[in-house]
Amino acid sequence: MRARALVRTVVGLVIIGSVAPAACSKSSPAGPSQPSKPALATVEVVKGDDQEGSVGMSLDTLISFRALDQNGAPFAGATLRFTASGGGSLTEASAVTGSDGIATVGWTLDTVPGIDSLAATPEASDTAFVVATATGIADRPDSMTLLDGDAQTEQPGYTLPAPIRVKLVDRYNNPVAGVPVDFSVSGGGSLDTTEVLTDLDGVAADNWTLGPTLGPQTAQALVRDSAVYDIVDLPGSPVAFSATAVGFALDSVTPVPAVVGDTVTLYGTGFGPDPADNAVQIGGRAAPTVDVTQSAIRVEVPAFGCAPAQTRTVRFVSRSDSATTQIMVQPPGLLDLAVGQDTVVEDPDAYCLQIAGSTAPDSAEFLVGLTSTRDWNAVASFTLTASDTSVAEVAPPSTQAVTVPASTDGSALTVPPSSELRLRDWEQSFFTKIPLSATISPSGGGITPLDLAPTATVGDSVSFRVPHIATDPCNDYTTQQATLVYVGSKVVVAAPAVPSLILSSLLGSTVFNNAVNSVASLLRNTSLGLIGQYVGSLADADGRITVLLTPALYGTGAPPVFSTDVDLVSRSTCPASDEGALVYVTTPPVSYSLSTLTAIVSTLQGVMDASGPGLKLTHVAQNVKRIASGIASPMPTWLAEGQAELMVEVVGHALRGDQPGLDYGASVVSADNLATKWYAPRFNRLSYYFGWDGASGQVTGAPELCSLFGFAGQASPCDPLAGPGADWSFMRYLSDQIGPSLSGGEAQLSQSVTLLADDSALDAFLQSTTGHSLATQIVNWAEMLYTDGRVSATDAPALQRQSWNLADIYAAMPAAQRLTPETHGFVSFTHQGSVAGGGTFYLRLASSTGHGALAVQALDPLGSPLSSSLGARFWVVRVR
């Protein structure tokens, strides 16, 4: 019904034709007062108000208005204008009141049901004086039409999902309420009722339950003749409905393949129209319903944990019927990697690698790794599970947090950390409490041993303090008298005290002098020069480096050559300090005679080895530079070791005329004696990190239980040289990746690294320089150890070492020295293992032809995500 505004009160009072009193003059005598002239004051409805009539029809009673003057008497001769609301019409637009003050008008209502209004307005006014109202109701039915519910389908014996409905309207298309409609069915079936009155919207509805047979069925809606008014053969009556009784069927599922978390639609017939009537399982797991019709149901594909892409059974139950079919279900994040592409997963909750299957006949190879990127002094156990397409669904991991203690099984961890690494870590801890910069300054007189006078000459006897690096390098020491056998502007060499009777013979020996001069020349011209480029000046122009041959620590497990930051502090801080830059060369005790000169010469020549003083001078240079720059602590041990080892390689380049970035192979590493001394040890030490036992076999647990960050306080199956080998390899990798982009090349990178306070500063430096974190670079390096030389630089520039071709170099070495990951095909398997902070577990997946999909998951032994303490990354790279 249409709502209309209803105004039933007098809205204005206007005095028309009133006479103003005459003005009085002083000369006019007062007379009697004159009566006022009648004027229109109000208008009222006296007949025909509040009628009800059919829309579009004239009301039975005319509308009469009466005008009254100010005294309440009828007012004749007033012209009233009439206005009808909406689409209503009037017999005249205006009328003049008679002597009784009454004017009448005929009113035809609007064609829309609702309350209509008729306003009477005096001619001289803009405001209606009074409003009459009337209610328009729908006219008699004029036609009936099918509203909805036709052509539905349902299983026999079930009620159609929607009622069948008709609508009755009058000639103006207004709904007609209260009309009885008869419903009936043929061919079986039933209705809720057989007679329904139309509602206010003119609609009559009934629920139709189909008969027991399949196929088409019919129903009708009819308005009986004269059921309302005197209507006969109402247009549109009867209305016919059709429905089809269908059997239950599941025809198809789309899209295929389906993806976990997305939706799929099941198409068919006879589905239950209520979502509660239907249940869908995919792979044995409930698939939540999104929406449903009789012929389509949309559901969400459930998760299956870390399971591969595989064919799964769809089971659909609708009321008492069921059907099954099969579809391919893919996990989210399916990896279809090209050669050289990798994926790295940081979140332990998401340690699931979904490798896509391939029908290509070519061979395929993937490398999977679990790398700990944090200096975490513990070992964590893990379970690696691979599932192929033949395996049923994998239960999702428990979300309950479980703390797994670090492994305490040390049965395979038999090799103790080296004394060199113990010394470096002791220094790191000691000088964190007693900053280097607070004890001694390199400015002024240079870095020269306390007991070595600037005027010292060959033959002088000098007293040194040799620190006991295996016990307490700061306080425990042995005093040693030594004889200067070489004194240069940059290098001094001192041997155990030489008796005066032997000294002249020693200094007169050509063999001895050639050896000591070779050592001094190497240090002065090559090692110190390159250290100045890559680290920074050791001191001012007057500083000298002393190489001391000492038997004081022989047989104690001290490294053959070492230096210590203790010598960079004052004796008031550490009594063992010589307050200068010293390199100690451990020698057997010497009983001087001409026959023992050969042993001394042999010791000096040994200093020329790649593990000689050049490496140890780098450690001295690192901290001298840091002291001068106001940095209180030594470099992080692993980074200092990597830089020092890189210096050895750089010295080898200088001696042989080689240069970085040329992807040298095995032929260069073994080209001559110099290459063998300066290059081969770097790769041998990296072999220890791979698990080489130094002979013809490999230790168990490498490299996952060996660490990039060294082994202080942490047992490891690897030889202690594995630490420096891995550290050099990482520093060389950074130099190859970053150095070419810097104006000063890798030397500029090395200088920047020298002045980094700690690992966090290195992380920030790498972020700003490369856009990648330290953790990312560690993972890239771990991948590179296998991919270099196997994957082209074009396919994977970040997984290359530009200076050396590792695949070529290790192909020329015995198999025991190579990185040899555990290998599996693309089939289900389980691997139990452990990884140390800074270690990497490797696994190789290989197939000579096409392969199925494989899901690889890493969890702790209790089935929960790995601890975040590892800073671990789970990754895969395609190699072939």
Side-chain angles (χ1 to χ4, degrees):
M1 303 289 286
R2 185 184 62 178
R4 303 292 181 88
L6 177 59
V7 180
R8 299 297 306 274
T9 61
V10 175
V11 298
L13 178 60
V14 179
I15 305 300
I16 302 177
S18 60
V19 179
C24 297
S25 68
K26 292 181 179 181
S27 60
S28 299
S33 93
Q34 300 294 320
S36 60
K37 183 178 180 180
L40 178 62
T42 62
V43 178
E44 62 183 3
V45 183
V46 294
K47 190 176 182 181
D49 197 11
D50 287 333
Q51 295 183 72
E52 185 178 90
S54 296
V55 294
M57 301 292 288
S58 298
L59 293 174
D60 294 337
T61 303
L62 297 177
I63 312 301
S64 297
F65 297 94
R66 180 165 54 201
L68 300 174
D69 65 13
Q70 69 269 35
N71 297 317
F75 186 89
T79 301
L80 299 181
R81 290 183 283 109
F82 305 118
T83 306
S85 62
S89 62
L90 302 167
T91 55
E92 48 265 334
S94 65
V96 178
T97 60
S99 59
D100 57 359
I102 293 176
T104 61
V105 64
W107 185 8
T108 298
L109 296 180
D110 191 2
T111 58
V112 178
I115 297 176
D116 290 357
S117 62
L118 172 59
T121 305
E123 188 176 31
S125 174
D126 292 330
T127 304
F129 269 37
V130 71
V131 175
T133 62
T135 301
I137 61 174
D139 198 4
R140 61 194 297 171
D142 184 67
S143 65
M144 181 171 68
T145 58
L146 190 156
L147 184 59
D148 53 36
D150 190 32
Q152 297 184 72
T153 60
E154 180 53 281
Q155 294 186 63
Y158 281 97
T159 301
L160 293 176
I164 54 177
R165 302 198 303 166
V166 294
K167 184 174 183 178
L168 272 70
V169 295
D170 64 13
R171 55 180 171 159
Y172 300 112
N173 206 36
N174 296 312
V176 182
V179 178
V181 178
D182 291 343
F183 287 90
S184 61
V185 297
S186 59
S190 62
L191 298 161
D192 277 0
T193 184
T194 58
E195 182 180 278
V196 180
L197 295 178
T198 56
D199 59 18
L200 294 178
D201 293 323
V203 175
D206 210 347
N207 290 311
W208 180 9
T209 299
L210 296 182
T213 60
L214 293 174
Q217 299 185 26
T218 60
Q220 74 170 16
L222 170 71
V223 175
R224 299 187 305 274
D225 290 346
S226 303
V228 60
Y229 301 99
D230 56 354
I231 297 174
V232 177
D233 295 334
L234 177 69
S237 176
V239 170
F241 292 90
S242 65
T244 304
V246 297
F248 173 81
L250 175 61
D251 297 333
S252 63
V253 181
T254 60
V256 175
V259 177
V260 169
D262 289 352
T263 60
V264 294
T265 302
L266 285 65
Y267 292 98
T269 57
F271 297 176
D274 187 335
D277 292 338
N278 306 279
V280 180
Q281 289 184 340
I282 300 178
R285 297 196 173 189
T289 299
V290 177
D291 54 54
V292 61
T293 67
Q294 284 185 289
S295 59
I297 178 169
R298 190 158 60 100
V299 297
E300 181 179 317
V301 181
F304 298 93
C306 189
Q310 64 186 104
T311 299
R312 296 190 180 274
T313 298
V314 178
R315 176 174 173 78
F316 178 33
V317 178
S318 181
R319 294 177 294 209
S320 60
D321 297 291
S322 65
T324 61
T325 188
Q326 290 190 317
I327 62 171
M328 173 61 69
V329 176
Q330 290 183 350
L334 191 64
L335 303 176
D336 190 7
L337 302 175
V339 171
Q341 287 185 328
D342 69 343
T343 291
V344 180
V345 183
E346 180 175 346
D347 182 5
D349 289 338
Y351 277 179
C352 177
L353 301 172
Q354 293 285 0
I355 301 174
S358 173
T359 57
D362 302 331
S363 58
E365 179 182 3
F366 294 81
L367 188 69
V368 174
L370 181 65
T371 298
S372 169
T373 64
R374 190 170 297 165
D375 188 0
W376 186 59
N377 191 20
V379 173
S381 299
F382 65 87
T383 299
L384 202 70
T385 303
S387 304
D388 64 16
T389 56
S390 67
V391 176
E393 64 183 88
V394 178
S398 169
T399 56
Q400 181 180 4
V402 179
T403 301
V404 181
S407 171
T408 56
D409 179 12
S411 58
L413 312 180
T414 57
V415 181
S418 70
S419 54
E420 170 76 16
L421 291 175
R422 281 201 304 265
L423 172 61
R424 295 290 161 242
D425 285 302
W426 177 89
E427 291 174 338
Q428 188 74 29
S429 175
F430 181 76
F431 290 115
T432 298
K433 303 173 184 176
I434 305 175
L436 282 167
S437 58
T439 58
I440 192 171
S441 173
S443 61
I447 301 298
T448 303
L450 182 68
D451 292 336
L452 185 59
T455 57
T457 60
V458 172
D460 286 353
S461 179
V462 181
S463 178
F464 293 93
R465 296 183 179 186
V466 181
H468 292 179
I469 62 172
T471 56
D472 185 354
C474 183
N475 296 291
D476 293 347
Y477 60 91
T478 296
T479 301
Q480 176 186 323
Q481 288 299 123
T483 301
L484 304 185
V485 295
Y486 177 89
V487 177
S489 60
K490 295 293 183 184
V491 179
V492 173
V493 180
V498 181
S500 57
L501 293 177
I502 301 296
L503 182 60
S504 59
S505 298
L506 182 66
L507 298 178
S509 168
T510 301
V511 174
F512 172 79
N513 281 289
N514 286 342
V516 75
N517 281 314
S518 295
V519 171
S521 176
L522 173 64
L523 293 177
R524 180 180 65 249
N525 298 329
T526 304
S527 295
L528 294 182
L530 290 171
I531 287 172
Q533 294 178 34
Y534 277 70
V535 176
S537 173
L538 285 176
D540 60 27
D542 295 328
R544 288 189 287 187
I545 303 301
T546 298
V547 178
L548 174 64
L549 280 65
T550 174
L553 301 182
Y554 184 76
T556 66
V561 183
F562 70 91
S563 64
T564 173
D565 294 331
V566 164
D567 286 323
L568 299 181
V569 304
S570 65
R571 281 184 177 173
S572 62
T573 301
C574 286
S577 174
D578 280 313
E579 294 191 352
L582 269 80
V583 174
Y584 301 89
V585 179
T586 303
T587 65
V590 176
S591 176
Y592 281 109
S593 66
L594 289 178
S595 62
T596 61
L597 290 180
T598 302
I600 298 176
V601 170
S602 176
T603 299
L604 288 172
Q605 290 175 333
V607 174
M608 285 284 288
D609 188 83
S611 62
L615 173 66
K616 308 310 168 185
L617 285 178
T618 304
H619 290 311
V620 175
Q622 289 164 343
N623 288 310
V624 168
K625 188 67 177 178
R626 291 166 74 84
I627 292 171
S629 301
I631 302 174
S633 62
M635 287 181 71
T637 302
W638 70 278
L639 195 59
E641 201 68 26
Q643 187 184 48
E645 290 283 343
L646 181 67
M647 289 295 93
V648 176
E649 177 199 332
V650 170
V651 171
H653 286 164
L655 293 174
R656 278 185 36 87
D658 297 327
Q659 55 185 308
L662 295 184
D663 206 31
Y664 293 136
S667 60
V668 172
V669 174
S670 59
D672 53 29
N673 187 51
L674 274 178
T676 301
K677 282 187 174 184
W678 293 93
Y679 299 154
R682 315 279 79 73
F683 296 99
N684 287 337
R685 291 179 179 184
L686 185 56
S687 291
Y688 287 123
Y689 178 75
F690 295 156
W692 184 40
D693 64 2
S696 59
Q698 287 191 318
V699 298
T700 301
E704 58 266 28
L705 294 179
C706 306
S707 178
L708 172 67
F709 302 112
F711 311 120
Q714 178 179 326
S716 167
C718 292
D719 188 282
L721 290 176
D727 299 338
W728 160 74
S729 176
F730 183 72
M731 192 63 192
R732 167 47 62 199
Y733 172 77
L734 288 185
S735 294
D736 283 351
Q737 289 291 320
I738 304 173
S741 66
L742 302 177
S743 58
E746 67 178 34
Q748 180 183 341
L749 171 66
S750 182
Q751 290 178 23
S752 299
V753 168
T754 303
L755 301 180
L756 296 174
D758 50 29
D759 289 353
S760 296
L762 175 60
D763 181 71
F765 171 76
L766 292 175
Q767 292 271 20
S768 63
T769 305
T770 68
H772 300 297
S773 66
L774 172 60
T776 298
Q777 296 290 9
I778 289 174
V779 171
N780 288 343
W781 165 76
E783 294 181 34
M784 178 278 305
L785 291 178
Y786 187 83
T787 59
D788 184 62
R790 289 182 168 92
V791 178
S792 72
T794 301
D795 291 333
L799 305 183
Q800 300 295 314
R801 173 174 289 178
Q802 285 85 357
S803 290
W804 300 102
N805 186 318
L806 293 187
D808 184 72
I809 292 169
Y810 281 103
M813 293 184 177
Q817 290 192 246
R818 305 170 192 166
L819 176 59
T820 309
E822 178 179 327
T823 299
H824 291 273
F826 290 82
V827 294
S828 299
F829 62 87
T830 299
H831 176 89
Q832 303 282 345
S834 299
V835 65
T840 295
F841 167 76
Y842 292 92
L843 183 140
R844 178 174 172 266
L845 301 172
S847 170
S848 59
T849 58
H851 59 85
L854 195 71
V856 187
Q857 185 175 34
L859 298 170
D860 73 14
L862 299 182
S864 295
L866 290 173
S867 169
S868 58
S869 301
L870 282 170
R873 303 291 189 271
F874 195 36
W875 51 265
V876 60
V877 59
R878 183 161 191 172
V879 181
R880 182 165 50 93

